[in-house]
Amino acid sequence: MKSRLIAEEKTQTWILVFDAGDEVASTLKKFAEEHHLAGSSFKAVGALSGVKVGWFNRETKKYETSADLKEQVELLSLIGDIALTPDGKPQVHAHIVVGKRDGTAHGGHLLEAHVWPTLELVLTETPAHLRKQHDPESGLALIRIED
Amino acid sequence: MKSRLIAEEKTQTWILVFDAGDEVASTLKKFAEEHHLAGSSFKAVGALSGVKVGWFNRETKKYETSADLKEQVELLSLIGDIALTPDGKPQVHAHIVVGKRDGTAHGGHLLEAHVWPTLELVLTETPAHLRKQHDPESGLALIRIED
Amino acid sequence: MKSRLIAEEKTQTWILVFDAGDEVASTLKKFAEEHHLAGSSFKAVGALSGVKVGWFNRETKKYETSADLKEQVELLSLIGDIALTPDGKPQVHAHIVVGKRDGTAHGGHLLEAHVWPTLELVLTETPAHLRKQHDPESGLALIRIED
C-alpha cells in the first residue's frame, strides 16, 4: 500500500442532484470532464428505476454483468473516486449497493443506472491529481502513487 | 443533473456517537434541528438491535416496509444528507445497509433503527443551504438546485 | 447520543492505494500507527480475492465469523473510523460490503480482506482526538465523548 496526503486545507465540495431519467455513469463522466476533475471522491444515495452492475473476472480480465435489475430499487450506497487515465482524461470508478423490494441488498461495479426520482451525490475534489497507470496483471488502469 | 459548489473552504465536521438504545432517525432529526443544519452529508458504521427499512412504491407514492429485522445486525453503511424542506425545516435522508448473522446484506431507506452498542457517524456541514421542493411526479420533496 | 465538532477548518485528506496481495485490516492499522492517527474517518472501493467478516454476538460478547469468502468479490463499500484505545493506540473500526459474482451483497465487521487488484481508500484526519473507553455492557472499547 502506498499513500499520499492529497489535501491539507482547501478542498472543494460539490453537491450533484440528478434528475429522473439521468443515467448515472455517463452523467458523472460528463461532469468530471467538464470540470476537469483529477482527484475526487464521492458518495451518494437515491433511487433507481433500473441498474446494471459488474463483477471483474480474473480469467478473462473483463467485467461481466453480475446483476441487471429492471425494477425500482433504493440506491443504498454509491461510493467512488475520479482519477486521470494514462492519457490524462478523468475516469470515474464507482461501486454501488441497492436494496430491492424484499429488502435484500445487491451490488457491484457500476455499469449503468437510471435515476428515479432523484440521486443526491456529494463530491470532494482535492488539489492533488491522481494518476492511473496500466496494470499488466489485471489489464486495468489503476491509481498509482509514486514513491 | 444539476450541480453546485457547496464549499470551497470552510466546512464543519462533526462526530456523533450514539448510545445503546438510541433510535437513529429521530435522534438525527433532533440533532439537525438543534444545530440548524441545512446542507450536510454523513456516513456511519455501528451495530443495531433492530432496524426497519423502506422501499418506495412508485404506484402508491409511499414507502412500504421492505425489511423489519428484530435481531442484532452490523450497521455496514449509513449514508445520507440533510437539506431544508419547502417550509425551511431540516430533513434527514438516510439509506442503510446491514449485515445479518449469516453475512447476507439487507437494506433500504431508513425508517427506524435501534442502536446497540454504538453507532459512530461523521457529518460534514457546508456553508451552502440545500433546499427541497415538492416533486409532483413522485409526491416527494426533493433537493432542487436553481439554474 | 453525544456529539462534538471535530474540525472547523483544517482537515487532512489522504488517499491510500493498496497493492494486490495487501491484507486490509493489518495494513490500515500499520498506517494509522505510523501516522499517529487519532480522529479519522474513511471510505473505500476496490476488489478482493477473499474476505472474512464478523457479526457481534451479544451473548458471548465476541465477534463470530459470519462470512468467509474465498473468491473474487467487488468491494462495494468499506466505511470506518480511527480512534484511540484507552491506552492511547490508534484503533481501526471498519465495516465492509462486498458483491459476489451473482450480484448479491454480503458484509460485516472487517476481520480480514485480501486486495486484488486494487483498493482505493480516502481518509480524512481531523485535528480532534477521539478516545475510546471500555464499555462494560458489550465488553468493547467504544468512542466516548465527554459532556
Side-chain angles (χ1 to χ4, degrees), chain A residues 47 72-74 101 116-117, chain B residues 54-65 137-140:
Chain A
Q72 180 71 15
V73 292
E74 297 290 320
R101 189 175 187 175
W116 194 91
Chain B
W55 173 85
F56 191 73
N57 186 321
R58 287 179 70 148
E59 306 306 317
T60 61
K61 297 189 179 182
K62 290 205 176 111
Y63 284 101
E64 55 184 56
T65 300
E137 193 186 341
S138 66
L140 295 168

Side-chain angles (χ1 to χ4, degrees), chain A residues 57-88:
Chain A
N57 186 319
R58 288 179 70 148
E59 305 307 317
T60 61
K61 298 190 178 180
K62 291 207 173 110
Y63 283 102
E64 55 184 55
T65 300
S66 53
D68 186 2
L69 307 176
K70 301 175 193 303
E71 61 192 89
Q72 180 71 15
V73 292
E74 297 290 320
L75 170 54
L76 305 182
S77 154
L78 176 72
I79 297 181
D81 51 50
I82 299 170
L84 297 177
T85 57
D87 59 341

Side-chain angles (χ1 to χ4, degrees), chain A residues 1-9 11 41-43 53-58 63-67 77 79-81 93 95-97 105-109 126 130 132 135 137-138 140 142-145, chain C residues 9-20 22 27-28 31 35 43-49 72-79 97-106 116-118 120-122:
Chain A
M1 192 271 289
K2 294 195 177 63
S3 62
R4 183 165 143 212
L5 184 61
I6 51 175
E8 198 148 6
E9 25 192 336
T11 57
S41 71
F42 55 84
K43 64 179 185 297
V53 299
W55 173 85
F56 190 73
N57 186 319
R58 288 179 70 148
Y63 283 102
E64 55 184 55
T65 300
S66 53
S77 154
I79 297 181
D81 51 50
H93 186 202
H95 283 189
I96 193 166
V97 181
H106 303 256
H109 179 93
T126 61
L130 302 175
K132 293 196 165 188
D135 171 50
E137 193 186 341
S138 66
L140 294 169
L142 305 180
I143 298 176
R144 173 68 63 89
I145 296 175
Chain C
E9 24 193 336
K10 250 194 172 173
T11 57
Q12 289 192 328
T13 305
W14 290 83
I15 175 112
L16 281 64
V17 180
F18 290 66
D19 297 311
D22 280 346
T27 304
L28 201 45
F31 178 81
H35 292 270
K43 64 180 186 298
V45 295
L48 307 168
S49 60
Q72 182 70 16
V73 291
E74 298 290 320
L75 170 53
L76 305 182
S77 154
L78 176 73
I79 297 182
V97 181
V98 300
K100 292 173 77 165
R101 189 176 188 174
D102 67 359
T104 57
H106 303 255
W116 194 91
T118 196
E120 302 156 1
L121 184 151
V122 176

Side-chain angles (χ1 to χ4, degrees), chain B residues 56-94:
Chain B
F56 191 73
N57 186 321
R58 287 179 70 148
E59 306 306 317
T60 61
K61 297 189 179 182
K62 290 205 176 111
Y63 284 101
E64 55 184 56
T65 300
S66 53
D68 186 1
L69 306 176
K70 301 176 193 301
E71 61 193 88
Q72 181 70 16
V73 291
E74 298 290 321
L75 171 54
L76 305 182
S77 154
L78 176 72
I79 297 181
D81 51 51
I82 299 171
L84 296 177
T85 56
D87 60 340
K89 295 207 173 65
Q91 188 174 62
V92 177
H93 185 202

